Amino acid sequence: GLGDVYKRQAMKSLKIIGIILASLLVIVGLSIGGYKVMKKVEHDEMVRIVESEEAKQIFRNRLTRIDPKAFEPDGVIKTYAINYESIASNPMGGIMVSIYVNDNKDYIFSFTLNKNFNTKKLTSEGGVTDPTIMKKVEERDKND
């Protein structure tokens, strides 16, 4: 009868809708997965740059500009460590990263690392310098 024809058509329509929905889910899943993989690759690349010799040089230069005796026995700044949580890409370009000094999470120095377009060398732009450390350096140098 006619009822069967309608039922079959309804079933066919449902099947098509099901296939379309399943396909959409797969596409969305792949997009999210791809995006996460891209983010991971991007993050790993940022970590690689932050850990590079070039970046170490930048960190050390900046710290010795603040404390000329940094890393020496009578330096205020003895050690530094990268804050891996802080590594992020800067919307204006470059990588934002901060470092802890003397294993103290309160002494924060932050940097924006950027590749110089012409020389392809890493440069450091702006950033924050910890005022406590600067004061300690001033006090030491006053007493010298």
Side-chain angles (χ1 to χ4, degrees):
L2 210 52
D4 286 346
V5 173
Y6 284 128
K7 251 191 219 144
R8 270 202 303 273
Q9 271 185 326
M11 289 306 283
K12 215 180 201 172
S13 301
L14 280 176
K15 245 194 205 134
I16 291 170
I17 291 169
I19 289 169
I20 291 171
L21 283 177
S23 307
L24 282 175
L25 281 176
V26 167
I27 291 167
V28 168
L30 288 175
S31 307
I32 293 171
Y35 179 74
K36 284 198 169 143
V37 167
M38 286 288 295
K39 278 284 168 226
K40 171 102 179 80
V41 166
E42 195 181 295
H43 189 264
D44 290 350
E45 175 62 10
M46 290 193 291
V47 169
R48 194 188 61 71
I49 292 169
V50 166
E51 288 178 337
S52 70
E53 273 311 311
E54 251 185 311
K56 273 185 198 146
Q57 215 38 63
I58 286 173
F59 299 152
R60 292 182 77 92
N61 289 348
R62 169 96 163 270
L63 294 173
T64 40
R65 265 207 311 275
I66 292 155
D67 178 4
K69 296 177 180 171
F71 311 111
E72 289 171 23
D74 51 350
V76 170
I77 296 172
K78 305 277 188 217
T79 61
Y80 78 85
I82 295 165
N83 170 5
Y84 284 94
E85 301 286 294
S86 74
I87 298 174
S89 110
N90 186 331
M92 305 295 288
I95 301 167
M96 298 181 291
V97 59
S98 63
I99 59 176
Y100 302 126
V101 167
N102 298 348
D103 291 327
N104 186 330
K105 298 233 192 296
D106 293 333
Y107 298 155
I108 291 180
F109 291 80
S110 70
F111 302 81
T112 298
L113 299 176
N114 234 325
K115 270 240 189 291
N116 180 307
F117 194 69
N118 300 317
T119 63
K120 300 280 177 262
K121 286 212 181 314
L122 265 192
T123 58
S124 160
E125 296 162 7
V128 176
T129 296
D130 191 274
T132 320
I133 291 285
M134 291 175 79
K135 262 197 207 74
K136 286 185 174 182
V137 171
E138 279 167 28
E139 278 162 26
R140 179 200 63 206
D141 292 346
K142 251 203 317 253
N143 301 332
D144 274 1

